[in-house]
Every structure is written in C-alpha cells, then in structure tokens.
C-alpha cells in the first residue's frame, strides 16, 4: 500500500513539474528525533469502531508516536533476518566481484547494500541527481520537501524492518495507532474506523476490527464477505496464486460477495495498493495483502518516515555501501547495454560517453525503463519478451500548503474513498520534519490518474480542491473562500509500479536472467510482496543472493575475459 511512484524525469528527462500559488512565506517547525507528543488544543475524539462526526469547535489533532511493535518474533521477520545474515556470513571472496547496478531506487540500493555485506564491490549508477527512484523527493526554494509518493511502512514489511535495524535507524519510523480510517463519502466530514485491539492475536484482532465497525458494512454483508473468503483461508497460497486470472470485481461476483463490499472497501483498497480500480486489479493482489494483514498481529500497523526519504532512508544505505568499498554515482544515465559477440554484457555505455565495465551487471530500474534498453539480440528470448505485458501505472502525487491548521484530520493515513483521490495525510502532523503547528500540508495520491496525467497542474489542483471540500466541509471550499492555498506541488508519474492486472504473474522474471552475468531487480521481478517498497527491497536481496551464489562461475568468467585480452608473446 505504499503509494510510491517513479518521477517522469526518469522516462522523459523533463524538468520536475511544480507550481506555486501565492508565494507567502511559511514557518517551519522541527521536532527532536525522540518520542514526542504534540497537544494542539481542545479534545481528543476517539470512538472505537464507530463513525466519527467531526465539526469545528470540538476537535483536537494530536501528533503522537506509538511504540514500535514487537516484530522480531514473527516468522516473516526471522526469515528476512536469516536472508540478511546469508550475506554477512558468506565466505569472503578471494577477489571481490565488481557489480555494476543501474538504478538507485530501493531495489538498486538493496542489491548494492547486500553485495557489499558479502564482500563485493558494487558500483551503483543513478540517472538523476536524486536518490530513491519511486521514493525520491525534492526541496523547494522555501526549504519544503515534496515527494514522489505518500509512503507507508507496514509491520508486514519484514525485509524493510530488518533493513532499518541493520542500519541502526529504527527510530526514524513514526508508528501510528493500529487503525484504518476511512472517509464517509455520503456524510461529508465524517470518518469510520477499524481499530485493531492490542490484546487479541491475529487474525482475531482483524476480525474484531471488522465486526466492530457497523458503518461501512452491514452484518449480512460481513457474513457473505466472510463466506466468500473461506476458500482463500482453506486453500492457502495455491488458491491465492490461482486467482491471478480474475479481477477483484470478477472474483466478487463469482463468490457471491455483495456489490456494496466493493463500493465500501475494495475500491479504496485497490487504489491504495496499485492505483487502479477493482475492475482492473488482479484478485491475487488483494488476497496477498489480506493474508499479510490478517495473519500477522501487527501486519497492518502503519508507520511514517520521520522526514524526506532521500536523506532519512537512502543516504544511510549509501553510506553503508561506501563504508564497505562500494560506490554510488548520481547523474549517470545509461544510454545502451553493449554486448560481447556471445550475447553477454560487455559494458554499460553512459550518456556522457563513459563505459562502465564489471564482472556482473544488474538493471534495477522500473520495468518500463529497462524495456527501452533491452538489446535487440535479447528481445526474442522468452524471459525478456514476457516483460511486454508488464506496464507501469500512471499516478499523481499532490502537495498543498494551506494558510491555516486543518482540524478535521488525524495523525494517520486516511482513505479518502473519493472517485479521484486514493489516500492522503496531513504531513504537518504525521511527519516530524514537516511538522507545523500553524499550517497544514496535505499530501494526496491522485488515482486512478490515466485520464489526468496529461492535464495541467491547475486542472488537477482544482479537481483536488473539489474533493477536499467534501472531506473538510467546514474548512475548505473549492473556490478558496475558506482555507487559502499558499502553494502547491504536483508530481506526475506516467509509469509507476507495474499494473497488477490479471495474468501478469507468469510474466514476472526471476532475478537471475538467462544471460550469464546479467540480473534484474525491482518490485516487478519475482518475489512475494508484489509492487511495494517491501517488494523492491526483497528483490534486491534475492538479486544479490543470486550473484553471490554464482560467484565461482562469474569469477572464472572474469578470469577468462582478462586472459583473452592479454596479447600472446611471439
């Protein structure tokens, strides 16, 4: 559900789109990195499992971090930790491999980090001047950050949680209350909550949260929904994988699940998971998410990063890589993958004329970028040909700074249930670096975005304000007669995470390609967390593991290559 996306600069090379309105000065407040709570006047409204009717004059927005959940004992966390230890405990190479990696998003950074842990020398090349790929962010002239996407870190992300621990930056995650909060479209300004009790184990805590909420689904609808899910509970992973051929809407009709379950729950969930609607999304994606959230007690618990991703997450990874002899280079755009006569990679040719040679090569860019650079000689190979079905989905991330503090909100991720918006958050409350007691900054995911990606920023902001007027009826009006916009940024991504439509699963490639010495990483490659930050990190670990396992063969290949280049004395 992390709503990250890749900037259009990676594809078009155009300047990052940004617009400013009003240009009024903004005051910025920073908090310490320690556990803090900010009381911002009036009462706390908590109504477990019930609709919240919120109006001005009886509101409080509280910024409060919750303790980190105990994840270390979960099976998935232990498995992820075991995979991490594989690299630290692997035999030190007599001659480290030099591995050239394209793309410094989470997949590329993860690949490089774990190769460095195994004693090898990664060279990580990033086309742009910013780290992060789908979690990239930029600082504007006022010193405010705007991001490629609204990123949420779940308890069910074991490889990311291990990564934070390995880097010693667990305190940079701001954990929120274990709840899911949905806006009520038919009752503007009101919200409905699913609260997961800490006293119950999984899946009972999730079942309890659903049963306690009577605002979104009736009891008959809950029963029919539960009956529809029974085959998934009984059939396990084989059943889940078999649903890849059905959309969410098709699966619901097949299982006799009422349409209102789709309207009340699955539309919001589909847009949060993959930026598309249930009539397009593969049911496998929903079932995988439900499985993770329901089978792990803290799986659906959410955390925000305490600041901008390039500095707070990516730079610690870069420093780790460099401390072990690796290298990370920005502004290093790959122009062509040059091949040897036998079809293996000779070198990566960069736009500036530089040629980067290694013992192994990895492409960790989004699938759409890699497809543009696949050598002609490889295009008919099934492994690469199947990638044509994997296409990135467009998404737009919107940031709006207001002239006042909005009160009808929470210190949490909110599901808008709007036809145009997916999820949103008041980042001036949820994120310590962005904290401001006087003014709100809403970050919103505009999805599905296919019909909007080509429209102007002004049109997108106007449409967003119309939706916000429904979410904040007492505070926001579409004509700005209430809260005024100080400035805004619109980040458009024509191709973000791969579109998880039916029958995509067979097209997802393994990290080890049929070309000796060439590998892929990215959330679109084969791993169990689909299109997500967790999937990107895991794909990097699996890619690095493949390279370490292939060390003998790659080392021998490198020796033969050197011998062939040495002239024979006569």
């Amino acid at each position: 559900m992390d709503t990250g996306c890749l900037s259009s600069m990676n594809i078009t090379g155009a300047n990052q789109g940004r617009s400013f309105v009003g240009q009024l000065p903004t005051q910025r407040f920073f908090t310490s990195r320690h556990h803090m709570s900010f009381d911002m006047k009036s009462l706390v409204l908590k109504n477990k499992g019930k609709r919240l009717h919120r109006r001005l004059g009886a509101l409080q927005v509280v910024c409060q971090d919750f303790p980190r959940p105990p994840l270390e004992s979960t099976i998935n966390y232990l498995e992820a930790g075991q995979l991490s230890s594989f690299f630290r405990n692997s035999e030190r190479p007599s001659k480290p491999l030099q591995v050239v990696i394209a793309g410094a998003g989470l997949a590329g950074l993860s690949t490089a980090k774990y190769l460095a842990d195994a004693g090898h020398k990664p060279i990580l090349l990033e086309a742009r001047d910013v780290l992060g790929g789908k979690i990239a962010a930029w600082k504007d002239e006022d010193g405010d950050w705007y991001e490629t996407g609204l990123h949420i870190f779940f308890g069910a992300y074991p490889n990311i949680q291990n990564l934070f621990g390995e880097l010693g930056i667990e305190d940079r995650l701001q954990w929120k209350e274990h709840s899911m909060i949905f806006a009520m479209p038919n009752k503007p300004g009101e919200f409905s909550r699913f609260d997961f009790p800490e006293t119950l184990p999984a899946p009972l805590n999730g079942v309890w949260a659903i049963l306690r909420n009577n605002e979104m689904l009736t009891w008959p609808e809950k029963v029919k929904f539960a009956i529809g899910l029974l085959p998934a509970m009984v059939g396990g992973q084989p059943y889940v994988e078999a649903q890849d051929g059905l959309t969410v809407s098709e699966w619901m009709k097949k299982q006799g699940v009422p349409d209102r379950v789709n309207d009340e729950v699955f539309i919001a969930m589909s847009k949060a998971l993959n930026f598309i609607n249930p009539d397009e999304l593969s049911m496998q994606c929903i079932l995988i998410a439900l499985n993770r959230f329901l089978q792990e007690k803290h799986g659906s618990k959410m955390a925000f990063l305490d600041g901008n991703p390039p500095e707070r997450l990516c730079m610690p990874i870069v420093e780790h890589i460099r401390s072990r002899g690796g290298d990370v280079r920005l502004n290093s755009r790959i122009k062509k993958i040059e091949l040897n006569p036998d079809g293996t990679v000779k070198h990566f040719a960069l736009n500036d004329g530089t040629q980067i040679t290694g013992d192994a090569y990895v492409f960790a860019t989004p699938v759409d970028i890699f497809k543009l650079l696949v050598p002609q000689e490889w295009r008919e190979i099934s492994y690469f040909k199947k990638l044509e079905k994997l296409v990135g989905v467009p998404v737009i991330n919107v940031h709006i700074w207001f002239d006042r503090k909005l009160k009808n909100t929470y210190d949490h991720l909110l599901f808008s249930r709007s036809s145009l918006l997916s999820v949103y958050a008041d980042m001036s409350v949820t994120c310590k670096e962005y904290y401001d007691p006087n003014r709100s900054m809403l970050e919103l995911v505009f999805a599905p975005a296919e019909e909007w990606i080509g429209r102007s920023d002004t049109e997108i902001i106007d449409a967003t304000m119309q939706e916000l007027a429904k979410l904040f009826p007492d505070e926001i009006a579409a004509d700005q007669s209430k809260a005024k916009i100080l400035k805004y940024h619109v980040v458009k991504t024509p191709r973000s995470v791969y579109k998880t439509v039916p029958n995509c699963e067979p097209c997802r490639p393994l990290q080890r390609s049929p070309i000796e010495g060439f590998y892929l990483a990215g959330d679109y490659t084969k791993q169990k967390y689909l299109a997500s930050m967790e999937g990107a990190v895991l794909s990097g670990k699996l890619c690095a593991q493949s390279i370490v396992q292939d060390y003998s063969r790659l080392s021998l290949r490198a020796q033969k290559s050197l011998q062939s280049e040495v002239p024979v004395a006569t």
Side-chain angles (χ1 to χ4, degrees):
M1 193 179 293
D2 58 278
T3 56
C5 43
L6 171 75
S7 166
S8 58
M9 290 177 66
N10 261 348
I11 297 173
T12 66
N15 290 328
Q16 185 64 39
R18 52 185 172 182
S19 304
F20 301 89
V21 177
Q23 288 300 326
L24 299 179
T26 59
Q27 186 176 6
R28 308 182 74 237
F29 292 80
F30 297 89
T31 72
S32 92
R33 289 174 50 191
H34 300 291
H35 180 88
M36 294 190 72
S37 170
F38 299 94
D39 193 345
M40 297 167 58
K41 301 178 183 179
S42 211
L43 300 170
V44 180
L45 288 184
K46 288 187 179 179
N47 195 348
K48 298 296 184 181
K50 298 180 181 179
R51 184 180 78 239
L52 298 186
H53 187 78
R54 314 190 74 172
R55 290 294 182 230
L56 294 179
L59 298 169
Q60 178 193 31
V61 181
V62 175
C63 178
Q64 179 182 0
D65 292 351
F66 284 73
R68 183 180 184 275
L71 304 171
E72 289 79 6
S73 60
T74 63
I75 293 175
N76 287 324
Y77 186 94
L78 292 171
E79 287 180 351
Q82 188 174 18
L83 181 53
S84 293
S85 68
F86 165 83
F87 302 101
R88 296 191 300 270
N89 299 331
S90 63
E91 184 179 351
R92 297 297 93 176
S94 56
K95 186 180 186 304
L97 296 173
Q98 181 165 290
V99 183
V100 185
I101 305 166
L106 282 178
L109 287 165
S110 173
T111 305
K113 188 266 186 194
Y114 291 105
L115 283 172
D117 284 349
H120 297 288
K121 305 298 180 187
I123 299 176
L124 184 56
L125 308 175
E126 169 55 44
R128 300 184 295 176
D129 61 355
V130 61
L131 296 165
K134 298 183 185 74
I135 64 168
W138 299 264
K139 185 183 285 189
D140 68 18
E141 57 194 46
D142 299 318
D144 293 312
W145 287 88
Y146 57 104
E147 305 180 4
T148 314
L150 179 52
H151 311 291
I152 301 299
F153 298 80
F154 285 94
Y157 282 1
N159 289 282
I160 280 186
Q161 298 302 333
N162 268 272
L163 177 62
F164 272 80
E166 293 158 21
L167 297 170
I169 58 172
E170 301 104 317
D171 61 340
R172 297 186 184 186
L173 286 178
Q174 292 181 252
W175 291 95
K176 306 303 178 183
E177 189 176 11
H178 197 174
S179 302
M180 289 189 173
I181 307 173
F182 292 76
M184 301 290 285
N186 298 326
K187 298 172 182 177
E190 299 183 21
F191 296 86
S192 185
R193 296 172 59 118
F194 292 88
D195 293 302
F196 295 73
E198 293 296 322
T199 54
L200 293 178
L204 294 180
N205 62 340
V207 172
W208 181 260
I210 294 170
L211 293 180
R212 286 275 290 170
N213 184 299
N214 295 315
E215 295 296 329
M216 292 175 65
L217 297 178
T218 65
W219 274 95
E221 288 165 344
K222 291 175 187 177
V223 171
K224 290 181 180 178
F225 182 27
I227 293 173
L229 284 175
L230 278 177
M233 298 176 187
V234 175
Q237 192 62 26
Y239 177 86
V240 171
E241 292 176 0
Q243 307 316 300
D244 179 50
L246 296 175
T247 66
V248 176
S249 299
E250 290 169 344
W251 178 89
M252 288 180 56
K253 186 176 293 185
K254 178 183 175 184
Q255 298 301 116
V257 178
D259 289 342
R260 244 179 56 83
V261 176
N262 181 67
D263 298 339
E264 296 295 308
V265 178
F266 279 153
I267 290 177
M269 196 170 180
S270 298
K271 289 166 66 172
L273 286 170
N274 200 237
F275 313 129
I276 56 179
N277 281 316
D279 58 352
E280 289 188 280
L281 183 68
S282 166
M283 187 60 194
Q284 183 193 39
C285 183
I286 292 282
L287 291 175
I288 287 174
L290 287 175
N291 181 53
R292 297 295 171 198
F293 291 164
L294 292 177
Q295 295 304 318
E296 298 179 28
K297 178 176 179 177
H298 305 288
S300 58
K301 193 162 190 174
M302 306 179 206
F304 285 72
L305 191 62
D306 68 357
N308 72 87
E311 292 182 351
R312 302 301 288 167
L313 174 54
C314 298
M315 273 310 298
I317 305 175
V318 169
E319 290 164 1
H320 181 95
I321 293 166
R322 287 174 173 164
S323 72
R324 285 158 174 74
D327 192 14
V328 180
R329 306 174 189 176
L330 300 179
N331 299 304
S332 300
R333 187 178 295 275
I334 293 174
K335 181 180 180 181
K336 188 177 182 182
I337 302 172
E338 295 282 3
L339 303 183
N340 291 308
D342 64 356
T344 59
V345 178
K346 181 179 182 181
H347 58 251
F348 285 170
L350 306 189
N351 273 4
D352 63 3
T354 305
Q355 297 177 352
I356 307 294
T357 303
D359 302 313
Y361 299 85
V362 178
F363 241 78
T365 67
V367 65
D368 295 280
I369 292 176
F370 174 60
K371 287 191 296 186
L372 294 175
L373 292 169
V374 174
Q376 189 62 43
E377 294 88 334
W378 294 356
R379 291 185 181 272
E380 292 306 310
I381 299 174
S382 174
Y383 177 90
F384 299 105
K385 195 171 185 178
K386 287 191 294 186
L387 297 179
E388 289 305 315
K389 184 167 175 65
L390 302 179
V391 179
V393 62
V395 69
I396 300 169
N397 208 45
V398 177
H399 311 69
I400 304 177
W401 282 259
F402 288 96
D403 66 347
R404 65 195 66 183
K405 199 69 177 177
L406 300 172
K407 297 178 180 179
N408 197 31
T409 187
Y410 291 86
D411 177 17
H412 214 297
L413 180 78
L414 301 172
F415 293 81
S416 75
R417 299 177 69 211
S418 150
S419 60
L420 293 181
L421 304 177
S422 172
V423 292
Y424 71 97
D426 186 342
M427 299 298 282
S428 70
V429 175
T430 61
C431 176
K432 289 179 181 177
E433 184 178 4
Y434 305 161
Y435 174 70
D436 188 331
N438 300 318
R439 301 179 180 88
S440 285
M441 187 276 271
L442 296 185
E443 184 171 346
L444 313 103
V445 179
F446 197 105
E450 190 166 357
E451 296 180 6
W452 289 85
I453 200 74
R455 300 197 190 185
S456 69
D457 290 356
T458 302
E459 289 178 286
I460 292 167
I461 292 296
D462 288 345
T464 300
M465 287 294 288
Q466 290 179 23
E467 296 302 308
L468 289 178
K470 302 171 189 175
L471 296 168
F472 299 84
D474 295 318
E475 302 177 87
I476 294 178
D479 62 0
Q480 296 191 56
S481 58
K482 298 176 182 177
K484 304 292 190 298
I485 296 177
L486 298 177
K487 66 178 179 181
Y488 60 79
H489 289 290
V490 174
V491 182
K492 297 178 180 179
T493 303
R495 293 285 184 267
S496 179
V497 295
Y498 77 95
K499 197 172 185 178
T500 314
V501 295
N503 299 313
C504 270
E505 194 62 25
C507 301
R508 297 175 67 202
L510 295 171
Q511 287 75 30
R512 182 188 285 112
S513 87
I515 306 300
E516 188 175 38
F518 185 79
Y519 304 81
L520 294 178
D523 59 13
Y524 71 93
T525 62
K526 198 73 171 178
Q527 43 74 29
K528 59 185 178 181
Y529 289 92
L530 302 181
S532 65
M533 292 187 291
E534 172 70 8
V537 170
L538 177 55
S539 78
K541 293 174 83 168
L542 295 174
C543 180
Q545 183 183 43
S546 297
I547 294 171
V548 173
Q549 291 171 340
D550 293 346
Y551 171 72
S552 297
R553 185 155 46 90
L554 293 171
S555 181
L556 181 62
R557 180 172 170 269
Q559 291 175 14
K560 289 181 179 179
S561 178
L562 285 174
Q563 291 171 359
S564 67
E565 294 174 5
V566 176
V568 179
T570 56

